[in-house]
mmCIF file of all heavy atoms in Angstrom:
data_model
loop_
_atom_site.group_PDB
_atom_site.id
_atom_site.type_symbol
_atom_site.label_atom_id
_atom_site.label_comp_id
_atom_site.label_asym_id
_atom_site.label_seq_id
_atom_site.Cartn_x
_atom_site.Cartn_y
_atom_site.Cartn_z
ATOM 1 N N HIS A 183 164.509 94.980 118.765
ATOM 2 C CA HIS A 183 163.255 94.885 119.593
ATOM 3 C C HIS A 183 162.531 93.616 119.144
ATOM 4 O O HIS A 183 162.331 93.416 117.961
ATOM 5 C CB HIS A 183 162.352 96.101 119.358
ATOM 6 C CG HIS A 183 163.006 97.414 119.758
ATOM 7 N ND1 HIS A 183 163.190 97.815 121.034
ATOM 8 C CD2 HIS A 183 163.456 98.397 118.965
ATOM 9 C CE1 HIS A 183 163.776 98.999 121.084
ATOM 10 N NE2 HIS A 183 163.922 99.386 119.842
ATOM 11 N N VAL A 184 162.141 92.812 120.102
ATOM 12 C CA VAL A 184 161.362 91.599 119.816
ATOM 13 C C VAL A 184 160.001 91.714 120.510
ATOM 14 O O VAL A 184 159.957 92.182 121.661
ATOM 15 C CB VAL A 184 162.077 90.321 120.332
ATOM 16 C CG1 VAL A 184 161.279 89.054 120.028
ATOM 17 C CG2 VAL A 184 163.470 90.219 119.699
ATOM 18 N N ALA A 185 158.967 91.355 119.770
ATOM 19 C CA ALA A 185 157.573 91.478 120.299
ATOM 20 C C ALA A 185 156.734 90.255 119.922
ATOM 21 O O ALA A 185 157.075 89.548 118.998
ATOM 22 C CB ALA A 185 156.943 92.788 119.783
ATOM 23 N N SER A 186 155.636 90.135 120.612
ATOM 24 C CA SER A 186 154.653 89.119 120.296
ATOM 25 C C SER A 186 153.373 89.886 119.992
ATOM 26 O O SER A 186 152.716 90.438 120.905
ATOM 27 C CB SER A 186 154.427 88.174 121.486
ATOM 28 O OG SER A 186 153.286 87.364 121.232
ATOM 29 N N GLY A 187 153.006 90.019 118.730
ATOM 30 C CA GLY A 187 151.904 90.813 118.324
ATOM 31 C C GLY A 187 152.159 92.256 118.722
ATOM 32 O O GLY A 187 153.182 92.844 118.324
ATOM 33 N N ALA A 188 151.263 92.863 119.535
ATOM 34 C CA ALA A 188 151.440 94.227 119.962
ATOM 35 C C ALA A 188 152.154 94.312 121.294
ATOM 36 O O ALA A 188 152.298 95.382 121.850
ATOM 37 C CB ALA A 188 150.075 94.896 120.087
ATOM 38 N N ARG A 189 152.604 93.150 121.865
ATOM 39 C CA ARG A 189 153.186 93.163 123.210
ATOM 40 C C ARG A 189 154.696 93.106 123.130
ATOM 41 O O ARG A 189 155.271 92.116 122.630
ATOM 42 C CB ARG A 189 152.667 91.960 123.965
ATOM 43 C CG ARG A 189 153.214 91.885 125.412
ATOM 44 C CD ARG A 189 152.398 90.898 126.264
ATOM 45 N NE ARG A 189 152.401 89.549 125.691
ATOM 46 C CZ ARG A 189 153.204 88.580 126.097
ATOM 47 N NH1 ARG A 189 154.057 88.814 127.096
ATOM 48 N NH2 ARG A 189 153.164 87.401 125.579
ATOM 49 N N PRO A 190 155.420 94.124 123.586
ATOM 50 C CA PRO A 190 156.898 94.086 123.598
ATOM 51 C C PRO A 190 157.393 92.950 124.546
ATOM 52 O O PRO A 190 156.829 92.753 125.578
ATOM 53 C CB PRO A 190 157.300 95.475 124.130
ATOM 54 C CG PRO A 190 156.105 96.298 123.940
ATOM 55 C CD PRO A 190 154.917 95.421 124.112
ATOM 56 N N LEU A 191 158.464 92.320 124.110
ATOM 57 C CA LEU A 191 159.046 91.234 124.875
ATOM 58 C C LEU A 191 160.409 91.586 125.432
ATOM 59 O O LEU A 191 160.691 91.466 126.634
ATOM 60 C CB LEU A 191 159.130 89.945 124.067
ATOM 61 C CG LEU A 191 157.829 89.324 123.595
ATOM 62 C CD1 LEU A 191 158.136 88.062 122.764
ATOM 63 C CD2 LEU A 191 156.964 88.932 124.764
ATOM 64 N N GLN A 192 161.318 92.032 124.572
ATOM 65 C CA GLN A 192 162.683 92.275 125.003
ATOM 66 C C GLN A 192 163.369 93.177 123.979
ATOM 67 O O GLN A 192 163.054 93.138 122.757
ATOM 68 C CB GLN A 192 163.423 90.942 125.106
ATOM 69 C CG GLN A 192 164.849 91.100 125.658
ATOM 70 C CD GLN A 192 165.548 89.784 125.878
ATOM 71 O OE1 GLN A 192 164.886 88.750 125.991
ATOM 72 N NE2 GLN A 192 166.866 89.803 125.963
ATOM 73 N N SER A 193 164.354 93.981 124.445
ATOM 74 C CA SER A 193 165.188 94.764 123.579
ATOM 75 C C SER A 193 166.629 94.523 123.956
ATOM 76 O O SER A 193 166.962 94.347 125.117
ATOM 77 C CB SER A 193 164.859 96.260 123.750
ATOM 78 O OG SER A 193 163.556 96.573 123.309
ATOM 79 N N GLN A 194 167.467 94.439 122.952
ATOM 80 C CA GLN A 194 168.903 94.217 123.164
ATOM 81 C C GLN A 194 169.718 95.075 122.273
ATOM 82 O O GLN A 194 169.476 95.148 121.056
ATOM 83 C CB GLN A 194 169.281 92.719 122.957
ATOM 84 C CG GLN A 194 170.733 92.395 123.234
ATOM 85 C CD GLN A 194 171.004 90.879 123.233
ATOM 86 O OE1 GLN A 194 170.077 90.112 123.466
ATOM 87 N NE2 GLN A 194 172.199 90.536 122.900
ATOM 88 N N ARG A 195 170.748 95.696 122.798
ATOM 89 C CA ARG A 195 171.596 96.571 121.995
ATOM 90 C C ARG A 195 172.777 95.802 121.474
ATOM 91 O O ARG A 195 173.437 95.063 122.219
ATOM 92 C CB ARG A 195 172.078 97.747 122.849
ATOM 93 C CG ARG A 195 172.661 98.902 121.995
ATOM 94 C CD ARG A 195 173.111 100.046 122.897
ATOM 95 N NE ARG A 195 173.199 101.301 122.150
ATOM 96 C CZ ARG A 195 174.061 102.221 122.472
ATOM 97 N NH1 ARG A 195 174.870 102.114 123.508
ATOM 98 N NH2 ARG A 195 174.097 103.378 121.809
ATOM 99 N N LEU A 196 173.084 95.989 120.173
ATOM 100 C CA LEU A 196 174.197 95.324 119.535
ATOM 101 C C LEU A 196 175.101 96.334 118.888
ATOM 102 O O LEU A 196 174.679 97.455 118.634
ATOM 103 C CB LEU A 196 173.740 94.342 118.466
ATOM 104 C CG LEU A 196 172.655 93.334 118.821
ATOM 105 C CD1 LEU A 196 172.180 92.590 117.594
ATOM 106 C CD2 LEU A 196 173.177 92.365 119.871
ATOM 107 N N MET A 197 176.324 95.932 118.630
ATOM 108 C CA MET A 197 177.285 96.846 117.883
ATOM 109 C C MET A 197 177.451 96.268 116.501
ATOM 110 O O MET A 197 177.844 95.104 116.334
ATOM 111 C CB MET A 197 178.590 96.955 118.606
ATOM 112 C CG MET A 197 178.489 97.594 119.965
ATOM 113 S SD MET A 197 177.602 99.233 119.960
ATOM 114 C CE MET A 197 178.752 100.144 118.906
ATOM 115 N N LEU A 198 177.160 97.015 115.513
ATOM 116 C CA LEU A 198 177.253 96.630 114.087
ATOM 117 C C LEU A 198 178.608 96.977 113.565
ATOM 118 O O LEU A 198 179.031 98.171 113.630
ATOM 119 C CB LEU A 198 176.178 97.317 113.282
ATOM 120 C CG LEU A 198 175.778 96.735 111.955
ATOM 121 C CD1 LEU A 198 175.158 95.370 112.142
ATOM 122 C CD2 LEU A 198 174.746 97.660 111.238
ATOM 123 N N HIS A 199 179.400 96.046 113.067
ATOM 124 C CA HIS A 199 180.751 96.292 112.563
ATOM 125 C C HIS A 199 180.567 96.634 111.056
ATOM 126 O O HIS A 199 180.063 95.865 110.292
ATOM 127 C CB HIS A 199 181.584 95.036 112.684
ATOM 128 C CG HIS A 199 181.959 94.725 114.095
ATOM 129 N ND1 HIS A 199 183.171 94.986 114.679
ATOM 130 C CD2 HIS A 199 181.192 94.191 115.116
ATOM 131 C CE1 HIS A 199 183.188 94.620 115.910
ATOM 132 N NE2 HIS A 199 182.003 94.107 116.201
ATOM 133 N N VAL A 200 181.081 97.861 110.715
ATOM 134 C CA VAL A 200 180.991 98.330 109.334
ATOM 135 C C VAL A 200 182.430 98.650 108.864
ATOM 136 O O VAL A 200 183.148 99.290 109.606
ATOM 137 C CB VAL A 200 180.087 99.580 109.237
ATOM 138 C CG1 VAL A 200 180.091 100.080 107.775
ATOM 139 C CG2 VAL A 200 178.686 99.264 109.710
ATOM 140 N N THR A 201 182.812 98.170 107.681
ATOM 141 C CA THR A 201 184.141 98.453 107.192
ATOM 142 C C THR A 201 184.349 99.923 106.947
ATOM 143 O O THR A 201 183.535 100.621 106.377
ATOM 144 C CB THR A 201 184.313 97.702 105.835
ATOM 145 O OG1 THR A 201 184.126 96.327 106.040
ATOM 146 C CG2 THR A 201 185.750 97.907 105.351
ATOM 147 N N TYR A 202 185.449 100.439 107.482
ATOM 148 C CA TYR A 202 185.781 101.850 107.429
ATOM 149 C C TYR A 202 186.733 102.105 106.288
ATOM 150 O O TYR A 202 187.875 101.621 106.282
ATOM 151 C CB TYR A 202 186.394 102.292 108.756
ATOM 152 C CG TYR A 202 186.833 103.740 108.766
ATOM 153 C CD1 TYR A 202 185.912 104.751 108.626
ATOM 154 C CD2 TYR A 202 188.146 104.145 109.003
ATOM 155 C CE1 TYR A 202 186.281 106.083 108.674
ATOM 156 C CE2 TYR A 202 188.559 105.437 109.045
ATOM 157 C CZ TYR A 202 187.584 106.425 108.881
ATOM 158 O OH TYR A 202 187.981 107.750 108.947
ATOM 159 N N HIS A 203 186.314 102.831 105.238
ATOM 160 C CA HIS A 203 187.135 103.166 104.112
ATOM 161 C C HIS A 203 187.622 104.598 104.262
ATOM 162 O O HIS A 203 186.828 105.525 104.210
ATOM 163 C CB HIS A 203 186.380 103.011 102.803
ATOM 164 C CG HIS A 203 185.846 101.609 102.593
ATOM 165 N ND1 HIS A 203 186.706 100.510 102.514
ATOM 166 C CD2 HIS A 203 184.596 101.147 102.445
ATOM 167 C CE1 HIS A 203 185.937 99.420 102.322
ATOM 168 N NE2 HIS A 203 184.687 99.774 102.336
ATOM 169 N N VAL A 204 188.902 104.800 104.407
ATOM 170 C CA VAL A 204 189.446 106.166 104.525
ATOM 171 C C VAL A 204 189.309 106.847 103.193
ATOM 172 O O VAL A 204 189.792 106.368 102.206
ATOM 173 C CB VAL A 204 190.907 106.123 104.990
ATOM 174 C CG1 VAL A 204 191.495 107.560 105.106
ATOM 175 C CG2 VAL A 204 191.046 105.371 106.297
ATOM 176 N N PRO A 205 188.666 108.020 103.143
ATOM 177 C CA PRO A 205 188.528 108.713 101.852
ATOM 178 C C PRO A 205 189.825 109.240 101.373
ATOM 179 O O PRO A 205 190.646 109.755 102.145
ATOM 180 C CB PRO A 205 187.560 109.849 102.173
ATOM 181 C CG PRO A 205 187.684 110.061 103.623
ATOM 182 C CD PRO A 205 187.981 108.772 104.249
ATOM 183 N N GLU A 206 190.077 109.098 100.085
ATOM 184 C CA GLU A 206 191.314 109.610 99.467
ATOM 185 C C GLU A 206 190.929 110.585 98.356
ATOM 186 O O GLU A 206 190.432 110.142 97.307
ATOM 187 C CB GLU A 206 192.149 108.460 98.883
ATOM 188 C CG GLU A 206 192.593 107.434 99.921
ATOM 189 C CD GLU A 206 193.414 106.304 99.296
ATOM 190 O OE1 GLU A 206 194.504 106.612 98.680
ATOM 191 O OE2 GLU A 206 192.977 105.164 99.364
ATOM 192 N N ILE A 207 191.113 111.847 98.572
ATOM 193 C CA ILE A 207 190.706 112.809 97.562
ATOM 194 C C ILE A 207 191.847 113.795 97.372
ATOM 195 O O ILE A 207 192.654 114.036 98.280
ATOM 196 C CB ILE A 207 189.421 113.609 97.957
ATOM 197 C CG1 ILE A 207 189.597 114.311 99.314
ATOM 198 C CG2 ILE A 207 188.212 112.690 97.977
ATOM 199 C CD1 ILE A 207 188.439 115.224 99.680
ATOM 200 N N GLU A 208 191.966 114.334 96.142
ATOM 201 C CA GLU A 208 192.837 115.434 95.832
ATOM 202 C C GLU A 208 192.013 116.681 95.578
ATOM 203 O O GLU A 208 191.012 116.616 94.859
ATOM 204 C CB GLU A 208 193.695 115.129 94.625
ATOM 205 C CG GLU A 208 194.694 116.230 94.280
ATOM 206 C CD GLU A 208 195.468 115.955 92.999
ATOM 207 O OE1 GLU A 208 194.915 116.081 91.904
ATOM 208 O OE2 GLU A 208 196.654 115.560 93.140
ATOM 209 N N ILE A 209 192.377 117.764 96.237
ATOM 210 C CA ILE A 209 191.607 118.999 96.125
ATOM 211 C C ILE A 209 192.503 120.012 95.400
ATOM 212 O O ILE A 209 193.613 120.299 95.819
ATOM 213 C CB ILE A 209 191.230 119.539 97.511
ATOM 214 C CG1 ILE A 209 190.403 118.514 98.262
ATOM 215 C CG2 ILE A 209 190.428 120.860 97.360
ATOM 216 C CD1 ILE A 209 190.121 118.914 99.720
ATOM 217 N N SER A 210 191.998 120.505 94.287
ATOM 218 C CA SER A 210 192.699 121.545 93.510
ATOM 219 C C SER A 210 191.889 122.845 93.589
ATOM 220 O O SER A 210 190.668 122.825 93.336
ATOM 221 C CB SER A 210 192.889 121.135 92.034
ATOM 222 O OG SER A 210 193.632 119.965 91.962
ATOM 223 N N ILE A 211 192.537 123.919 93.865
ATOM 224 C CA ILE A 211 191.851 125.237 93.917
ATOM 225 C C ILE A 211 192.582 126.192 93.001
ATOM 226 O O ILE A 211 193.811 126.364 93.101
ATOM 227 C CB ILE A 211 191.796 125.766 95.387
ATOM 228 C CG1 ILE A 211 191.103 124.802 96.297
ATOM 229 C CG2 ILE A 211 191.166 127.133 95.409
ATOM 230 C CD1 ILE A 211 191.086 125.223 97.737
ATOM 231 N N GLU A 212 191.875 126.831 92.151
ATOM 232 C CA GLU A 212 192.422 127.830 91.207
ATOM 233 C C GLU A 212 191.578 129.104 91.236
ATOM 234 O O GLU A 212 190.374 129.025 91.189
ATOM 235 C CB GLU A 212 192.465 127.262 89.819
ATOM 236 C CG GLU A 212 193.161 128.190 88.802
ATOM 237 C CD GLU A 212 193.375 127.516 87.457
ATOM 238 O OE1 GLU A 212 193.180 126.278 87.345
ATOM 239 O OE2 GLU A 212 193.782 128.224 86.516
ATOM 240 N N ARG A 213 192.267 130.209 91.319
ATOM 241 C CA ARG A 213 191.535 131.494 91.214
ATOM 242 C C ARG A 213 191.227 131.766 89.729
ATOM 243 O O ARG A 213 192.096 132.093 88.952
ATOM 244 C CB ARG A 213 192.400 132.645 91.762
ATOM 245 C CG ARG A 213 192.349 132.762 93.292
ATOM 246 C CD ARG A 213 192.999 134.050 93.725
ATOM 247 N NE ARG A 213 193.045 134.209 95.129
ATOM 248 C CZ ARG A 213 192.120 134.901 95.832
ATOM 249 N NH1 ARG A 213 191.128 135.489 95.188
ATOM 250 N NH2 ARG A 213 192.233 135.008 97.109
ATOM 251 N N SER A 214 189.954 131.616 89.392
ATOM 252 C CA SER A 214 189.556 131.910 88.047
ATOM 253 C C SER A 214 189.342 133.407 87.770
ATOM 254 O O SER A 214 189.331 133.861 86.652
ATOM 255 C CB SER A 214 188.261 131.180 87.681
ATOM 256 O OG SER A 214 187.257 131.438 88.652
ATOM 257 N N ALA A 215 189.199 134.173 88.903
ATOM 258 C CA ALA A 215 189.142 135.605 88.857
ATOM 259 C C ALA A 215 189.437 136.104 90.281
ATOM 260 O O ALA A 215 189.585 135.284 91.181
ATOM 261 C CB ALA A 215 187.735 136.105 88.394
ATOM 262 N N VAL A 216 189.547 137.419 90.445
ATOM 263 C CA VAL A 216 189.839 137.939 91.733
ATOM 264 C C VAL A 216 188.770 137.532 92.789
ATOM 265 O O VAL A 216 189.049 137.272 93.938
ATOM 266 C CB VAL A 216 189.953 139.474 91.689
ATOM 267 C CG1 VAL A 216 190.124 140.072 93.084
ATOM 268 C CG2 VAL A 216 191.075 139.872 90.784
ATOM 269 N N ASP A 217 187.530 137.479 92.291
ATOM 270 C CA ASP A 217 186.429 137.187 93.196
ATOM 271 C C ASP A 217 185.768 135.825 92.948
ATOM 272 O O ASP A 217 184.614 135.599 93.328
ATOM 273 C CB ASP A 217 185.340 138.281 93.068
ATOM 274 C CG ASP A 217 184.789 138.357 91.635
ATOM 275 O OD1 ASP A 217 185.366 137.764 90.715
ATOM 276 O OD2 ASP A 217 183.774 139.083 91.466
ATOM 277 N N ARG A 218 186.525 134.854 92.337
ATOM 278 C CA ARG A 218 185.965 133.536 92.087
ATOM 279 C C ARG A 218 187.084 132.489 92.223
ATOM 280 O O ARG A 218 188.244 132.771 91.916
ATOM 281 C CB ARG A 218 185.313 133.431 90.730
ATOM 282 C CG ARG A 218 184.187 134.407 90.483
ATOM 283 C CD ARG A 218 183.426 134.063 89.207
ATOM 284 N NE ARG A 218 182.604 132.849 89.392
ATOM 285 C CZ ARG A 218 181.419 132.855 89.979
ATOM 286 N NH1 ARG A 218 180.889 134.007 90.445
ATOM 287 N NH2 ARG A 218 180.709 131.722 90.094
ATOM 288 N N VAL A 219 186.695 131.292 92.654
ATOM 289 C CA VAL A 219 187.617 130.186 92.696
ATOM 290 C C VAL A 219 186.961 128.948 92.027
ATOM 291 O O VAL A 219 185.733 128.786 92.092
ATOM 292 C CB VAL A 219 188.064 129.809 94.133
ATOM 293 C CG1 VAL A 219 188.922 130.847 94.713
ATOM 294 C CG2 VAL A 219 186.864 129.496 95.017
ATOM 295 N N GLU A 220 187.793 128.131 91.393
ATOM 296 C CA GLU A 220 187.343 126.885 90.802
ATOM 297 C C GLU A 220 187.919 125.767 91.682
ATOM 298 O O GLU A 220 189.125 125.688 91.814
ATOM 299 C CB GLU A 220 187.737 126.755 89.345
ATOM 300 C CG GLU A 220 187.225 125.505 88.709
ATOM 301 C CD GLU A 220 187.629 125.402 87.217
ATOM 302 O OE1 GLU A 220 188.798 125.005 86.974
ATOM 303 O OE2 GLU A 220 186.800 125.750 86.353
ATOM 304 N N VAL A 221 187.066 124.940 92.199
ATOM 305 C CA VAL A 221 187.449 123.793 93.050
ATOM 306 C C VAL A 221 187.262 122.500 92.297
ATOM 307 O O VAL A 221 186.171 122.216 91.830
ATOM 308 C CB VAL A 221 186.695 123.807 94.372
ATOM 309 C CG1 VAL A 221 187.130 122.634 95.266
ATOM 310 C CG2 VAL A 221 186.772 125.134 95.079
ATOM 311 N N THR A 222 188.333 121.694 92.171
ATOM 312 C CA THR A 222 188.292 120.404 91.526
ATOM 313 C C THR A 222 188.592 119.319 92.514
ATOM 314 O O THR A 222 189.611 119.391 93.207
ATOM 315 C CB THR A 222 189.300 120.326 90.328
ATOM 316 O OG1 THR A 222 189.025 121.404 89.418
ATOM 317 C CG2 THR A 222 189.148 119.002 89.624
ATOM 318 N N LEU A 223 187.725 118.305 92.583
ATOM 319 C CA LEU A 223 187.966 117.176 93.454
ATOM 320 C C LEU A 223 188.179 115.921 92.614
ATOM 321 O O LEU A 223 187.460 115.685 91.657
ATOM 322 C CB LEU A 223 186.749 116.913 94.385
ATOM 323 C CG LEU A 223 186.334 118.054 95.330
ATOM 324 C CD1 LEU A 223 185.245 117.535 96.247
ATOM 325 C CD2 LEU A 223 187.506 118.548 96.122
ATOM 326 N N GLN A 224 189.206 115.157 92.948
ATOM 327 C CA GLN A 224 189.437 113.852 92.322
ATOM 328 C C GLN A 224 189.405 112.772 93.393
ATOM 329 O O GLN A 224 190.098 112.902 94.395
ATOM 330 C CB GLN A 224 190.767 113.828 91.573
ATOM 331 C CG GLN A 224 191.005 112.486 90.864
ATOM 332 C CD GLN A 224 192.330 112.473 90.095
ATOM 333 O OE1 GLN A 224 193.081 113.405 90.138
ATOM 334 N NE2 GLN A 224 192.548 111.365 89.392
ATOM 335 N N ASN A 225 188.617 111.728 93.137
ATOM 336 C CA ASN A 225 188.554 110.603 94.044
ATOM 337 C C ASN A 225 189.687 109.646 93.765
ATOM 338 O O ASN A 225 189.689 108.954 92.756
ATOM 339 C CB ASN A 225 187.188 109.898 93.928
ATOM 340 C CG ASN A 225 187.029 108.769 94.908
ATOM 341 O OD1 ASN A 225 187.917 108.460 95.710
ATOM 342 N ND2 ASN A 225 185.849 108.141 94.896
ATOM 343 N N LEU A 226 190.675 109.569 94.611
ATOM 344 C CA LEU A 226 191.852 108.748 94.433
ATOM 345 C C LEU A 226 191.620 107.346 95.021
ATOM 346 O O LEU A 226 192.503 106.450 94.825
ATOM 347 C CB LEU A 226 193.101 109.363 95.077
ATOM 348 C CG LEU A 226 193.445 110.788 94.635
ATOM 349 C CD1 LEU A 226 194.652 111.269 95.429
ATOM 350 C CD2 LEU A 226 193.723 110.834 93.145
ATOM 351 N N GLY A 227 190.557 107.109 95.748
ATOM 352 C CA GLY A 227 190.336 105.826 96.391
ATOM 353 C C GLY A 227 189.662 104.827 95.550
ATOM 354 O O GLY A 227 189.307 105.070 94.400
ATOM 355 N N GLU A 228 189.424 103.627 96.136
ATOM 356 C CA GLU A 228 188.799 102.519 95.442
ATOM 357 C C GLU A 228 187.298 102.509 95.645
ATOM 358 O O GLU A 228 186.585 101.632 95.070
ATOM 359 C CB GLU A 228 189.380 101.209 95.939
ATOM 360 C CG GLU A 228 190.914 101.084 95.672
ATOM 361 C CD GLU A 228 191.432 99.792 96.154
ATOM 362 O OE1 GLU A 228 190.630 98.960 96.716
ATOM 363 O OE2 GLU A 228 192.627 99.546 96.080
ATOM 364 N N PHE A 229 186.728 103.413 96.477
ATOM 365 C CA PHE A 229 185.335 103.403 96.760
ATOM 366 C C PHE A 229 184.696 104.778 96.488
ATOM 367 O O PHE A 229 185.378 105.766 96.590
ATOM 368 C CB PHE A 229 185.122 103.044 98.259
ATOM 369 C CG PHE A 229 185.695 101.747 98.625
ATOM 370 C CD1 PHE A 229 186.974 101.597 99.094
ATOM 371 C CD2 PHE A 229 184.945 100.577 98.457
ATOM 372 C CE1 PHE A 229 187.548 100.382 99.414
ATOM 373 C CE2 PHE A 229 185.485 99.300 98.805
ATOM 374 C CZ PHE A 229 186.786 99.230 99.267
ATOM 375 N N GLY A 230 183.462 104.726 96.122
ATOM 376 C CA GLY A 230 182.765 105.962 95.760
ATOM 377 C C GLY A 230 182.478 106.850 96.955
ATOM 378 O O GLY A 230 182.530 106.413 98.104
#
């Protein structure tokens, strides 16, 4: 949005290019009891 003081002048829509990092995770699930599970996640990728 572009304005002059309080007066709107023009609006233009743009497309922002953002790098897409495919998440790489390993999911481990272990039954710690009959009624409980322990879930472990490991980030295998290069990005947080």
